[in-house]
């Protein structure tokens, strides 16, 4: 498995791990939301249980007066004053009959609507509605009720004289009752039989007082007709409880948890990305280290090969010198014919050409050790011009050295070789009667620039990237190592050299970053 395949596997695993974290966070968010909903459900059941207990406590003979029930409902719906339901943010509470109509309500009653009986729940962004059974008033399978409870309006609404007040005591009416009596106690009647034992007498037939069949009609309602009583029971009998609770805490909890899960997912993604980048950098570093080791080994091998080649080239020059000397002697013998002299000159020319190439190769393969001194580039340029004076006169070329006369820090011998090779390259490129120019100028207060210009055919764009490579030449008499040696010496000094076109024709070899001497 190569590095690219390993990187793909690692990236896939990191992506899968990040997706797993995202799925985990989404699942945990849903769990938190469900827990918050369960908390609201538990609070609604607590409120329903409390209200059922209060209703049973207020019930007498299956009836609860609304004027005693309303304060309880108002207390439950009062969020600011009720410690029991303050945390649950109860907005409204209502008691439902068998048809889902509201019998009694408190709080924000506009949030209450006609609901069907049965335990359900309805969620929205603003609130949640719980529809719960009232304990002691649940619906049985036959459609009736078990131990039903009826909410009775005020006494005044059940008499023909609604303006009169009546008071009742446990032992009977007190004051003006207008013919209504408080229901008697439920203690059973007893008697003594012939054997002198006490026995409980059966209750009297009260079927006439149970027109609804579910429970006994309270005595204070016996003045009502059966139709009115049945209608009252149908409309006021409790079958369910509806609670409207605010979902603000649920939304806040969900939002806060969502932000928390988002931050965790974001940092998980950043971590996965960081691990992926670290793995890629580690893989690249490992590969680069392997390449570096291989390059070091190859470099050592090339150095050894370079030394061997330089030694071979140096040893080859000795036989060439002998061949050149013998050919020279043959040409100068008195009995040498014209043909022998011509062949001798040919041998000498080819020997000199090979010797020059070997010399260039030795110079190129030699390690460059720079010994910096304070030198005058203008003076060295003039010396090089005098050295190549014969070649310049042969092609009738004009050479100018222009610019400032400043000193730089450089190896004098290596700088002389650079200028010699550049001038020789310009001579080979220039046409007869052409012009060559050395230009010296300051780039800033610390550096200078040296240029060699010619008006020859120039260098094509395709050859600009190849011109400094060894053995690349466009001249028939060139060795292909002159500019390679120049670049090697320039880089050894820490300088830079580039080739640019010279307008309108020719080439410019520019050496930059020459450090000015103090």
């Amino acid at each position: 498995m190569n590095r690219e395949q390993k990187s793909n596997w690692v990236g896939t695993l990191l992506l899968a791990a990040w997706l797993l974290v995202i799925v985990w966070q989404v699942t945990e968010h849903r769990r938190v939301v469900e827990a918050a909903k369960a908390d609201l459900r538990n609070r609604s059941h607590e409120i329903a249980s409390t209200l059922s207990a209060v209703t049973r406590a207020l019930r007498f003979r299956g009836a609860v007066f609304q004027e005693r029930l309303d304060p309880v409902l108002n207390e439950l719906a009062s969020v600011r004053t009720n410690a029991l339901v303050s945390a649950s943010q109860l907005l409204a509470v209502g008691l439902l009959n068998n048809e889902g109509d509201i019998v009694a309500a408190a709080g924000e009653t506009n949030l209450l609507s006609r609901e069907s009986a049965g335990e359900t729940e309805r969620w929205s962004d603003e609130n949640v509605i719980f529809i719960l059974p009232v304990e002691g008033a649940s619906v049985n399978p036959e459609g009736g009720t078990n131990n039903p409870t009826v909410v009775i309006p005020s006494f005044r609404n059940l008499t023909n004289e609604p303006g009169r007040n009546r008071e009742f005591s446990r032992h009977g009416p007190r004051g003006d009752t207008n013919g209504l009596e408080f229901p008697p106690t439920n203690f059973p009647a007893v008697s003594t039989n012939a054997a002198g034992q006490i026995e409980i007498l059966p209750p009297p037939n009260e079927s006439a007082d149970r027109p609804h069949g579910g429970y006994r009609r309270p005595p204070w309602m016996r003045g009502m007709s059966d139709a009115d009583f049945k209608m009252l029971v149908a409309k006021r009998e409790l079958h369910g409880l509806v609670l409207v609770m605010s979902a603000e805490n649920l939304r806040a909890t969900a939002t806060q948890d969502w932000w928390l899960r988002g931050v965790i997912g974001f940092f998980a993604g950043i971590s996965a990305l960081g691990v992926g980048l670290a793995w890629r950098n580690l893989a690249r570093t490992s590969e680069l280290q392997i390449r570096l080791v291989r390059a070091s080994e190859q470099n050592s091998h090339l150095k050894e090969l370079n030394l061997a080649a330089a030694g071979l080239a140096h040893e080859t020059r000795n036989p060439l010198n002998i061949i050149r000397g013998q050919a020279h002697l043959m040409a100068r013998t008195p009995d040498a014919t014209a043909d022998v002299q011509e062949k001798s000159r040919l041998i000498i020319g080819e020997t000199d050409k090979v010797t020059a190439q070997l010399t260039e190769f030795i110079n190129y393969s030699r390690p460059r050790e720079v010994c910096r001194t304070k030198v005058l580039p203008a003076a060295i340029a003039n010396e090089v011009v005098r050295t190549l004076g014969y070649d310049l006169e042969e092609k009738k070329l004009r050479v100018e050295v222009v610019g400032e006369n400043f000193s730089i820090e450089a190896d004098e011998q290596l700088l002389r070789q650079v200028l010699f090779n550049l001038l020789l390259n310009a001579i080979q490129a220039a046409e007869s009667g052409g012009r060559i120019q050395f230009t010296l100028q300051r780039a800033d207060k610390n550096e200078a620039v040296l240029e060699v210009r010619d008006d020859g055919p120039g260098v094509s764009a395709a050859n600009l990237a190849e011109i400094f490579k060894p053995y690349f030449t466009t001249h028939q008499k060139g060795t292909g190592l002159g500019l390679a040696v120049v670049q090697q010496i320039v880089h050894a000094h820490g300088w830079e050299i580039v080739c640019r076109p010279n307008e309108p024709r020719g080439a410019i070899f520019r050496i930059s970053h020459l450090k000015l001497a103090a």
Side-chain angles (χ1 to χ4, degrees), residues 104 125 144 157 169 189 219 271 295 316 322 372 391 407 409 412 462 471 508:
D125 295 336
N157 299 329
S169 67
S271 301
T316 305
I322 296 175
R372 299 177 186 272
D391 298 289
S407 300
E409 296 180 359
E412 183 177 357
Y471 301 107
I508 301 176

Side-chain angles (χ1 to χ4, degrees), residues 102-159:
I102 297 176
V103 176
E108 301 180 19
T109 56
N110 60 311
L111 298 177
L112 299 174
S113 60
R114 182 180 178 87
E115 306 292 346
S116 59
E119 184 177 359
T120 59
E121 57 186 42
R122 301 181 183 181
W123 297 86
S124 65
D125 295 336
E126 300 297 330
N127 52 59
V128 55
I129 300 176
F130 293 103
I131 307 170
L132 306 172
V134 176
E135 186 177 349
S138 58
V139 180
N140 60 24
E142 289 75 17
T145 57
N146 297 326
N147 194 17
T149 301
V150 176
V151 178
I152 301 300
S154 173
F155 283 125
R156 301 179 181 88
N157 299 329
L158 299 176
T159 63

Side-chain angles (χ1 to χ4, degrees), residues 51-60 64 68:
L51 184 57
S52 298
V54 172
T55 303
R56 290 195 304 272
L58 297 177
R59 186 176 61 185
F60 184 77
V64 176
R68 302 182 62 184

Side-chain angles (χ1 to χ4, degrees), residues 51-347:
L51 184 57
S52 298
V54 172
T55 303
R56 290 195 304 272
L58 297 177
R59 186 176 61 185
F60 184 77
R61 292 282 183 107
V64 176
F65 283 98
Q66 187 168 353
E67 62 184 4
R68 302 182 62 184
L69 185 60
D70 285 342
V72 177
L73 298 180
N74 291 330
E75 182 68 16
L76 287 175
S78 178
V79 177
R80 296 182 180 180
T81 59
N82 192 352
L84 173 65
V85 294
S86 59
S88 61
Q89 297 186 354
L90 181 65
L91 301 179
V93 57
L95 299 177
L96 306 177
N97 61 11
N98 189 31
E99 297 180 357
D101 295 328
I102 297 176
V103 176
E108 301 180 19
T109 56
N110 60 311
L111 298 177
L112 299 174
S113 60
R114 182 180 178 87
E115 306 292 346
S116 59
E119 184 177 359
T120 59
E121 57 186 42
R122 301 181 183 181
W123 297 86
S124 65
D125 295 336
E126 300 297 330
N127 52 59
V128 55
I129 300 176
F130 293 103
I131 307 170
L132 306 172
V134 176
E135 186 177 349
S138 58
V139 180
N140 60 24
E142 289 75 17
T145 57
N146 297 326
N147 194 17
T149 301
V150 176
V151 178
I152 301 300
S154 173
F155 283 125
R156 301 179 181 88
N157 299 329
L158 299 176
T159 63
N160 295 326
E161 300 179 14
R164 302 185 61 182
N165 294 328
R166 298 166 180 82
E167 296 182 0
F168 297 88
S169 67
R170 184 172 182 82
H171 301 287
R174 182 173 57 194
D176 186 7
T177 62
N178 196 20
L180 293 179
E181 297 181 356
F182 196 83
T185 60
N186 292 328
F187 294 112
V190 296
S191 64
T192 304
N193 56 17
Q197 297 177 349
I198 298 176
E199 61 179 5
I200 300 176
L201 297 177
N205 185 10
E206 296 178 347
S207 58
D209 294 334
R210 300 175 185 262
H212 186 63
Y215 50 86
R216 180 181 177 186
R217 183 191 299 187
W220 59 88
M221 295 183 184
R222 293 176 183 175
M224 300 177 61
S225 64
D226 291 344
D228 293 339
F229 181 73
K230 290 180 180 180
M231 183 178 299
L232 175 66
V233 171
K235 291 183 177 181
R236 310 291 293 183
E237 188 178 63
L238 298 184
H239 280 254
L241 168 68
V242 56
L243 300 176
V244 181
M245 305 178 69
S246 173
E248 181 179 357
N249 289 343
L250 175 62
R251 292 198 311 271
T253 301
T255 302
Q256 182 179 3
D257 185 76
W258 179 253
W259 277 104
L260 176 63
R261 306 300 173 184
V263 170
I264 294 176
F266 173 76
F267 281 106
I270 293 297
S271 301
L273 181 61
V275 172
L277 293 177
W279 168 264
R280 187 181 66 175
N281 292 335
L282 180 62
R284 289 185 176 180
T285 302
S286 302
E287 184 178 359
L288 290 177
Q289 288 178 349
I290 295 174
R291 290 183 179 180
L292 184 61
V293 172
R294 293 177 179 175
S296 178
E297 295 175 354
Q298 187 176 7
N299 189 29
S300 300
H301 178 70
L302 290 177
K303 285 183 178 180
E304 296 174 358
L305 184 61
N306 192 20
L307 292 175
L312 179 62
H314 184 271
E315 295 298 329
T316 305
R317 285 193 303 180
N318 294 330
L320 289 176
N321 291 331
I322 296 175
I323 294 173
R324 186 180 187 280
Q326 292 298 324
H328 188 69
L329 291 176
M330 289 174 58
R332 297 182 61 182
T333 56
D335 56 347
T337 63
D339 184 58
V340 171
Q341 291 180 355
E342 180 66 23
K343 291 181 178 180
S344 297
R345 285 194 296 270
L346 183 60
I347 292 173

